[in-house]
Amino acid sequence: MCGIVGLHLRDETLYPRLGALLTGMLDQMCDRGPDSAGMAVYGDPIWSPPGESTVSLLDAGVPAAELAAGLGDLLGVTVTGIDLAPTTVLHAPIDAAELAAAVPGIAPAARVIGFGADLTVVKGIGNPTELAHRFGLPRAAGRQGVAHTRMATESAVTAAGSHPFSVGPDQCLVHNGSFSNHRSVQHELQRAGVVFDSDNDTEVGARFIADRLAQGVDLEKALRLLMERFDGFYTLLVANSESFAVVRDPIACKPAVVAETDRWVAMASEYRALADLPGVADAHIFEPEPEEVYLWHRQ
C-alpha cells in the first residue's frame, strides 16, 4: 500500500519548521506502511552545511566518528560523521562524488543511499513515526522534504529496500505501487553499465530517471520517458535540488492529493496528511490527473 508525503517550501520563514511539518505528515501515513520508512531533506544546516557536500550511508559497519576520521586522513579534509543508525551521514568541503568514492576504502560494506550538495537521506526499519523522532527529523530545517512509509510487496523488509531511492546527485524518488516490467528495464540498464544495489522495483525507476538526467534531458522529459517505458500501477514523487514533481500511471488507481498555496506545495497519499499544514484551509487542493507531469521549481 505504502504512503508518500512531500513538502516543497516557497516561504523561507517556514524553513525552520520543515522537519516538524514533514514529521506530522509522515505520522498520518504510518498505517499505509508500518514496516520501514525513509526521509530525504534538502538544505538542513546541520546534516548538510552550506559549502559542504553530504553523503548518506547504510550499514557502514564502522562508528561514524571513526569513519569520518579515516576519510579525513585519506582525503586531507575535515569530514564530519553523524550517527543516525542504521544510517550514517557524512559531510565535508569536497565534491560529494569524491567523498562517496572514498568510503569503500574505510567501510567496504557501506551502501551509499544519498549524495549531493545539500541532500540528506535517512532510512530504517520499524514504525515510521518512531524512526522520524529517533533520527531527529522534527528538528530538521530546510526548503524541501520527502518521506515514505513502506508496506513491502516486491522485496524483503530491509532498510535498503525502503524509500526514497537516491541514485543520482541531489535526486530522490518515492513510489506507491508496483512496476510490472521492471526486470526487463533493469536488464537494459545493466547492459548499458548501470549498477544496482537492491532487487527493489523502485530502484529501477530511480535508476532509469537518473540515467536520463545524466544524458541531459530535464526532469519533465525523464518522467514522460518513464511513463512510456514502465508498466504497472504507480504514483511517484520525484525531487532534486531545483524541482518537486508528481506523476501517476494511466489508470491512476494509487491515491494522491496535492495542495498548493503561495507559501508551499505539498503532496500526500491521503488528505489527512495535509490537514494540519499552515494555511491549508485556503489551499488549492486537487487530485493529480493520470499521465500528467506536475512540476514545481525552486523560486
Side-chain angles (χ1 to χ4, degrees):
M1 188 161 56
C2 299
I4 295 173
V5 296
L7 184 59
H8 172 86
L9 297 179
R10 292 167 161 166
D11 183 351
E12 292 186 7
T13 65
L14 290 175
Y15 286 9
R17 298 176 59 190
L18 174 70
L21 293 171
L22 194 65
T23 300
M25 295 171 71
L26 181 71
D27 180 61
Q28 294 298 317
M29 294 293 98
C30 283
D31 59 348
R32 294 190 62 88
D35 59 44
S36 56
M39 308 114 205
V41 173
Y42 289 84
D44 180 78
I46 303 299
W47 292 344
S48 302
E52 299 196 11
S53 63
T54 300
V55 173
S56 298
L57 307 173
L58 198 60
D59 300 325
V62 179
E66 181 180 333
L67 176 57
L71 289 169
D73 292 341
L74 184 64
L75 297 168
V77 297
T78 299
V79 179
T80 301
I82 303 171
D83 181 8
L84 301 174
T87 303
T88 301
V89 176
L90 304 170
H91 59 80
I94 58 173
D95 183 76
E98 183 181 358
L99 180 58
V103 168
I106 308 295
R111 175 176 297 180
V112 175
I113 58 169
F115 65 101
D118 63 355
L119 169 66
T120 304
V121 176
V122 292
K123 298 184 179 186
I125 298 173
N127 178 274
T129 301
E130 293 176 2
L131 287 172
H133 284 272
R134 195 175 84 208
F135 295 151
L137 182 64
R139 299 188 299 275
R143 66 178 182 279
Q144 183 169 268
V146 173
H148 185 271
T149 65
R150 184 172 184 235
M151 181 177 289
T153 58
E154 295 294 327
S155 57
V157 178
T158 63
S162 61
H163 308 194
F165 276 89
S166 176
V167 299
D170 290 306
Q171 301 166 20
C172 68
L173 177 150
V174 293
H175 172 204
N176 176 23
S178 176
F179 294 129
S180 59
N181 65 333
H182 64 285
R183 290 301 181 205
S184 61
V185 179
Q186 180 177 359
H187 293 156
E188 291 175 8
L189 292 170
Q190 287 173 324
R191 287 194 292 271
V194 176
V195 177
F196 286 78
D197 293 327
S198 76
D199 59 357
N200 191 294
D201 63 326
T202 304
E203 184 185 357
V204 182
R207 296 279 180 192
F208 180 91
I209 292 172
D211 180 71
R212 297 315 186 262
L213 293 175
Q215 293 178 26
V217 306
D218 61 22
L219 181 57
E220 180 175 359
K221 178 64 174 178
L223 289 170
R224 294 196 183 280
L225 291 171
L226 180 143
M227 287 189 288
E228 293 175 6
R229 184 66 186 86
F230 282 74
D231 297 326
F233 305 121
Y234 54 84
T235 292
L236 303 178
L237 174 57
V238 182
N240 60 30
S241 285
E242 302 301 325
S243 305
F244 181 89
V246 176
V247 66
R248 302 171 82 192
D249 69 78
I251 299 177
C253 68
K254 294 299 180 180
V257 60
V258 173
E260 182 174 6
T261 74
D262 59 356
R263 303 182 73 196
W264 48 262
V265 179
M267 179 270 176
S269 296
E270 298 181 44
Y271 173 77
R272 58 191 165 115
L274 310 176
D276 292 328
L277 292 175
V280 70
D282 298 318
H284 170 51
I285 300 172
F286 63 95
E287 181 180 349
E289 295 292 332
E291 288 193 298
E292 290 289 333
V293 177
Y294 295 84
L295 186 65
W296 295 268
H297 295 291
R298 183 180 178 186
Q299 295 178 335

